[in-house]
Amino acid sequence: MAGNSARRGAVRKSGTKKGQVVGSGGKRRRGLEGKGATPAAVDRPYHAAAKKAKAKAKAENAAATSRSRNASRPLAGRKDSDGPELVLGRNPVVECLRAGVPATALYVAVGTENDDRLSEAVKIAAETGISILEVPRTDLDKMSHNGLHQGLGLQVPPYRYAHPDDLVDRVKQSAEPALLVAMDNITDPRNLGAVIRSVAAFGGQGVVIPQRRSASVTAVAWRTSAGAAARLPVARATNLTRTLKDWASQGYQIVGLDAGGDTTLDEFDGSAPTVIVVGSEGKGLSRLVRENCDSILSIPMAGPVESLNASVAAGVVLAEVARQRRN
């Protein structure tokens, strides 16, 4: 019966508490309040985007650390376009030393088995004043990336290029008329080395190459030139077309080589100051260079061969010019 306090359970015992008798203290109100904008994906630690950004930052830090270490160790496998080069392997090293490549250090791995090539390399290096350094094999492994060094490495300093104006000054000091060779679209250093060798052999005063999209005077070019790169200046032109225009204004005839040329070698007169422009086998002469040539020269051939290797073609023309000037 309502109000019957004698019924068991009808009256709450003192000291007991069931639920909130006053209120929630504002907890429910605070729970309903907004928490602001949702953080970006990269700011949420467990999101895939955040994990990817963290991995990228870690990789960039590792790369920066590696670059700083390589900067303090310039030989540790680095090959910059204008930095020192490391020639690896017994045959390449011996060939470079025989050709007179101006090396600065010969590296020999500790424990390397001796043979005739190693003995010759050490002998030439000692006679020419090249530093001989014995290093752990692991150091040469790092320098070569693939470990194919055969226990021998040769450091070659960057080549010191001349300016195109230096070639003109060299011509003025020569008793012979100008005979220069310009390389256009030649990207094989072996072709460059072979042309340097031919120019030196047939009395030329120098070679000019473009600063971009061209083979450089690397150890391969040094070796192919058989040491001629030490005696003949090679200039770098910022703009080959502009350099050819400048030489043409000074009275040089600019002659391009191409299998489909309008003038044959038999008709060519090489007695005047001449610049021979050699293009690659595939691309040939670039459009602007071709347009600035006074004539395009072709080499008559008896066989079915359509064209010659760039360095071979240059050698044939240089030999003919030298013959004409001797007569």
Side-chain angles (χ1 to χ4, degrees):
M1 150 182 259
N4 188 359
S5 59
R7 184 173 58 86
R8 185 176 180 176
V11 179
R12 181 174 296 161
K13 296 179 180 179
S14 62
T16 64
K17 183 178 182 181
K18 181 178 180 181
Q20 296 290 343
V21 296
V22 178
S24 65
K27 291 182 180 179
R28 292 176 184 172
R29 183 174 66 253
R30 288 195 298 270
L32 294 174
E33 291 178 354
K35 297 181 180 180
T38 303
V42 294
D43 295 330
R44 286 177 268 169
Y46 299 104
H47 195 281
K51 294 178 181 178
K52 185 177 179 180
K54 184 178 180 181
K56 182 179 179 181
K58 185 177 180 180
E60 289 177 350
N61 290 335
T65 303
S66 176
R67 284 194 297 270
S68 63
R69 288 176 180 173
N70 284 340
S72 62
R73 294 188 302 169
L75 287 178
R78 292 201 307 156
K79 175 60 186 80
D80 301 327
S81 58
D82 293 317
E85 181 181 5
L86 193 65
V87 181
L88 298 164
R90 301 196 181 193
N91 283 336
V93 167
V94 170
E95 289 174 8
C96 284
L97 291 170
R98 287 174 181 170
V101 173
T104 54
L106 175 68
Y107 293 89
V108 182
V110 175
T112 299
E113 184 178 351
N114 195 10
D115 64 3
D116 293 340
R117 294 169 297 174
L118 178 57
S119 298
E120 183 178 357
V122 172
K123 181 175 181 293
I124 296 175
E127 291 175 348
T128 54
I130 299 172
S131 300
I132 303 173
L133 306 174
E134 194 172 21
V135 298
R137 181 170 290 272
T138 53
D139 284 4
L140 275 179
D141 290 341
K142 293 177 183 177
M143 296 176 190
S144 62
H145 297 292
N146 54 16
L148 300 177
H149 49 72
Q150 299 176 309
L152 208 58
L154 186 70
Q155 185 188 12
V156 180
Y159 183 80
R160 293 185 178 181
Y161 293 95
H163 189 275
D165 292 343
D166 297 334
L167 302 188
V168 175
D169 294 338
R170 185 181 175 91
V171 167
K172 292 177 181 178
Q173 297 172 5
S174 174
E176 296 295 326
L179 180 57
L180 303 172
V181 172
M183 310 283 282
D184 183 34
N185 285 327
I186 301 295
T187 56
D188 188 340
R190 290 182 292 262
N191 275 336
L192 175 58
V195 169
I196 294 172
R197 185 174 184 178
S198 295
V199 173
F202 295 114
Q205 290 94 1
V207 174
V208 62
I209 61 175
Q211 191 167 359
R212 299 175 58 192
R213 295 186 294 274
S214 172
S216 302
V217 183
T218 61
V220 174
W222 267 103
R223 194 166 69 242
T224 310
S225 75
R231 305 186 300 272
L232 191 79
V234 178
R236 255 184 176 173
T238 306
N239 188 308
L240 182 59
T241 303
R242 189 183 305 134
T243 298
L244 294 177
K245 286 182 179 180
D246 180 51
W247 286 350
S249 67
Q250 298 182 50
Y252 296 173
Q253 61 172 342
I254 313 298
V255 182
L257 299 189
D258 192 279
D262 50 13
T263 304
T264 66
L265 185 59
D266 296 337
E267 304 166 341
F268 175 64
D269 180 8
S271 58
T274 303
V275 179
I276 299 170
V277 188
V278 184
S280 67
E281 294 177 65
K283 296 182 180 179
L285 298 172
S286 59
R287 181 182 60 83
L288 289 176
V289 168
R290 190 184 186 95
E291 290 176 355
N292 283 277
C293 290
D294 298 313
S295 60
I296 304 298
L297 192 64
S298 63
I299 301 173
M301 290 177 286
V305 179
E306 294 182 0
S307 63
L308 295 174
N309 173 276
S311 60
V312 173
V316 170
V317 175
L318 287 166
E320 172 60 19
V321 172
R323 183 196 66 79
Q324 292 180 14
R325 293 183 177 184
R326 285 196 304 270
N327 297 334

